Amino acid sequence: MKVKINLNNLKYRYDIYQIFNLFYPYDAIEFGEEESTFEVIVENHCIILKTAGKNLEKTFEEEVTKQHLKREIFKFLKSLTHKELPWGTLVGIRPSKIALDMVKAGYSNDDIIKYFRDNYLASEKKAQLCIDVAAREESFVNHDKNLVSVYVGMAFCPTRCVYCSFASNPIGGNKKLVEPYVECLKQEISAIAEYIKDKNLKVQCVYFGGGTPTSVDEKTFHGVMKEIYDDIISQFNPEEFTVECGRPDSITEEKLKTMKDFKVNRISINPQTMNDNTLKSIGRNHDSKEVIEKFNLARSLGFDNINMDIIVGLPGEGLREINHTLDIIKKLSPDNLTVHGMSIKRASKLHEEIVLKNTVKIAEQEELNKMYEATTIAAKELGMKPYYMYRQKNMVGNMENIGYSIEGKESIYNIQIIEEKQTILAAGADAVTKVVFLDENRLERFADVKDVREYVKRLPEMVEKKIELLNTLYS
């Protein structure tokens, strides 16, 4: 379906597109006069909205702002579609920042809830969620420019999931790239460690993600882990070292023992779903039984801080499927539960199947709302509270990604990366170094190239540019 909008003032085009995209996420939204589905007229003190059989005219004493326009279009489309979108017009990716700033400024919870409702038409539940997350984040958010974290990225996965848009090359067809990539990754880790030492910085967290770090064989995995340990862990003694094992089909007892040997104190084992039919359809080579086996193996080896990721809104899943996933996870009782809303990335295979071919269906809004609510209830039953949150574009149901944990098992790295108050030194293809200027409340980014071959070719250049950027803060 195409949604065509006749707009009299194109300076509002992007803002209008954002709101229409909330209600028509899988449709082509275009602007033009011919055969328009909607007409939007914006004057100094007036907004007029028209579509077949329904018109709205709203006048204001003050001049019309973008916020006025977003709210009126949101209410107009809500009355047409009858969709309940709890975040209202809020499309920013870090809504808890708003609450955190207001908490610091002395606003009460009621003031914050009213602000979210009046400005964004957001529900009281979502505003309270932001307050709850902000309350837990406040004691963790970094205030020391010399306290940094390190990210290491493995650019390979066992297979590529249909929703993925990351640098995660299926390892089966890229075996020849693994060795040169890993050698360059080790060099970059060493260069980062040398810089940290030269500048007398402190390391709070190390996060080994990807891709899937455990997708490589045991010997290669051991080699990378030893590099991280020798260069960073043993020298700077960070309080948190996470390995995102991710795919259970890539986890072995030997790799888990390697992690224990090199002082990993937090891991992720990510099923995404416990429904075997869904796992097969999204491109995973494991079943739910293997998730349970690998989780129990990790517990038996002494891992006492395990995260599990799940995704709400996977193709073909509804409330029954998400409840089945949650029932199994509650029995396993992980220490963290990260709930992701399915995001339809343009670079993913899923975007093609949903948007372009219309061959895959996602649950309707009403059911998605119930699915998200089920995850909230499950987290409470596990004794967990929300501690970090972020949102992405094109998320089904216009919801959020949220991390729950039991007290004392929060991922400090996740909080720092989302709140963007700590410098992150990153190594690996598509890894993004973020340099945070606390005094100026700004950050600068440098991304390593995404393509593995280019990463191998251009490593010296990327290290040099990264150091140039870092030197603007640590001169």
Side-chain angles (χ1 to χ4, degrees):
M1 175 181 169
K2 283 187 178 182
V3 175
K4 295 199 74 171
I5 304 167
N6 181 9
L7 173 63
N8 72 319
N9 190 334
L10 289 177
K11 81 173 184 177
Y12 298 107
R13 184 179 184 276
Y14 182 66
D15 305 282
I16 291 171
Y17 173 86
Q18 284 184 316
I19 304 304
F20 270 88
N21 193 50
L22 298 179
F23 289 90
Y24 303 100
Y26 312 127
D27 300 319
I29 299 170
E30 300 176 356
F31 290 82
E33 296 182 11
E34 295 182 6
E35 300 178 1
S36 59
T37 322
F38 294 89
E39 185 174 3
V40 182
I41 300 170
V42 187
E43 305 292 354
N44 286 339
H45 296 274
C46 180
I47 298 170
I48 300 171
L49 305 173
K50 297 180 181 180
T51 192
K54 190 174 183 69
N55 298 332
L56 172 74
E57 183 171 340
K58 178 78 173 181
T59 57
F60 300 86
E61 291 184 5
E62 67 270 39
E63 191 168 334
V64 170
T65 66
K66 290 181 178 181
Q67 288 299 330
H68 287 139
L69 183 58
K70 286 181 176 181
R71 287 195 294 268
E72 293 308 317
I73 292 177
F74 184 92
K75 289 186 283 188
F76 186 70
L77 296 180
K78 180 180 176 180
S79 70
L80 280 176
T81 64
H82 307 292
K83 288 184 177 181
E84 291 291 334
L85 301 175
W87 282 106
T89 65
L90 192 57
V91 294
I93 65 173
R94 294 177 177 85
S96 59
K97 273 190 171 184
I98 300 170
L100 185 58
D101 288 344
M102 293 184 76
V103 167
K104 288 179 177 178
Y107 287 90
S108 70
N109 284 8
D110 288 343
D111 290 334
I112 297 170
I113 289 168
K114 184 177 185 300
Y115 179 84
F116 273 82
R117 182 185 66 238
D118 293 349
N119 285 274
Y120 305 112
L121 305 176
S123 73
E124 182 175 342
K125 276 189 175 182
K126 293 305 179 189
Q128 187 62 54
L129 175 61
C130 289
I131 294 167
D132 293 343
V133 169
R136 286 189 80 185
E137 285 180 330
E138 192 171 13
S139 62
F140 290 99
V141 175
N142 182 58
H143 301 287
D144 180 357
K145 80 167 190 176
N146 291 319
L147 184 63
V148 303
S149 286
V150 175
Y151 174 83
V152 178
M154 179 62 71
F156 302 98
C157 266
T159 60
R160 189 174 183 84
C161 297
V162 295
Y163 50 77
C164 183
S165 63
F166 296 117
S168 53
N169 305 277
I171 198 162
N174 293 278
K175 288 182 179 178
K176 291 182 180 179
L177 295 176
V178 173
E179 184 178 348
Y181 176 80
V182 166
E183 288 308 308
C184 286
L185 184 63
K186 290 177 182 178
Q187 291 174 37
E188 193 170 21
I189 293 166
S190 178
I192 284 173
E194 186 177 346
Y195 186 87
I196 292 170
K197 188 175 182 180
D198 287 347
K199 299 298 181 180
N200 199 29
L201 305 178
K202 299 165 287 183
V203 179
Q204 185 177 35
C205 306
V206 176
Y207 193 100
F208 188 12
T212 304
T214 49
S215 61
V216 296
D217 62 41
E218 273 114 352
K219 182 180 178 182
T220 304
F221 180 72
H222 185 278
V224 178
M225 289 294 294
K226 186 176 188 304
E227 187 77 35
I228 296 171
Y229 180 82
D230 289 347
D231 285 357
I232 299 173
I233 306 301
S234 64
Q235 291 196 68
F236 306 108
N237 193 30
E239 59 184 295
E240 182 178 281
F241 183 12
T242 297
V243 176
E244 190 172 3
C245 310
R247 304 276 286 269
D249 48 327
S250 69
I251 299 170
T252 65
E253 183 172 357
E254 186 174 337
K255 289 174 187 175
L256 288 168
K257 287 180 176 177
T258 294
M259 291 180 234
K260 290 298 289 185
D261 290 344
F262 292 128
K263 310 303 180 189
V264 172
N265 55 15
R266 182 178 181 274
I267 63 171
S268 283
I269 298 173
N270 302 333
Q272 313 305 9
T273 177
M274 289 292 193
N275 296 283
D276 291 341
N277 288 340
T278 307
L279 287 168
K280 186 176 180 180
S281 70
I282 64 176
R284 293 202 158 210
N285 286 340
H286 64 85
D287 58 17
S288 55
K289 182 181 177 183
E290 192 167 7
V291 177
I292 296 167
E293 289 172 351
K294 297 302 171 62
F295 182 93
N296 289 332
L297 176 61
R299 278 285 196 238
S300 72
L301 292 172
F303 287 96
D304 62 359
N305 193 353
I306 304 177
N307 171 71
M308 301 189 87
D309 281 11
I310 63 170
I311 298 177
V312 174
L314 286 167
E317 291 210 347
L319 184 59
R320 184 179 67 176
E321 287 76 19
I322 203 75
N323 278 333
H324 175 73
T325 293
L326 293 169
D327 286 344
I328 296 175
I329 286 177
K330 283 187 286 186
K331 290 175 184 176
L332 293 172
S333 192
D335 310 282
N336 293 190
L337 175 66
T338 306
V339 179
H340 295 276
M342 171 64 67
S343 180
I344 314 298
K345 303 288 184 63
R346 288 189 176 275
S348 70
K349 184 180 178 183
L350 192 59
H351 179 271
E352 178 183 348
E353 292 177 347
I354 292 177
V355 179
L356 303 180
K357 294 182 179 178
N358 195 29
T359 55
V360 170
K361 298 295 182 184
I362 301 296
E364 296 294 332
Q365 185 66 46
E366 184 178 354
E367 187 161 23
L368 286 167
N369 290 347
K370 292 177 181 177
M371 293 163 75
Y372 278 103
E373 182 63 24
T375 66
T376 302
I377 294 168
K380 288 180 180 177
E381 291 175 352
L382 284 164
M384 298 181 184
K385 295 180 181 178
Y387 75 95
Y388 90 105
M389 173 178 59
Y390 66 102
R391 302 180 71 218
Q392 295 171 275
K393 292 181 179 179
N394 303 319
M395 288 181 69
V396 299
N398 188 37
M399 289 295 190
E400 69 279 342
N401 301 320
I402 182 161
Y404 297 94
S405 78
I406 61 177
E407 200 74 35
K409 300 294 186 179
E410 304 87 351
S411 168
I412 301 168
Y413 177 84
N414 283 341
I415 294 171
Q416 305 297 13
I417 199 74
I418 292 304
E419 288 306 313
E420 296 185 326
K421 296 295 185 182
Q422 185 177 76
T423 293
I424 310 289
L425 291 83
D430 206 28
V432 180
T433 293
K434 297 181 179 181
V435 180
V436 175
F437 299 81
L438 287 170
D439 295 342
E440 304 171 43
N441 194 28
R442 71 179 178 92
L443 66 82
E444 298 286 341
R445 295 177 174 85
F446 177 81
D448 285 358
V449 295
K450 186 171 185 175
D451 182 81
V452 171
R453 294 174 181 83
E454 285 298 303
Y455 173 80
V456 171
K457 287 180 186 176
R458 297 171 57 187
L459 180 66
E461 168 200 337
M462 288 182 292
V463 169
E464 182 180 348
K465 288 183 177 179
K466 192 173 303 181
I467 289 174
E468 283 179 11
L469 174 58
L470 287 162
N471 282 340
T472 62
L473 177 62
Y474 304 110
S475 55

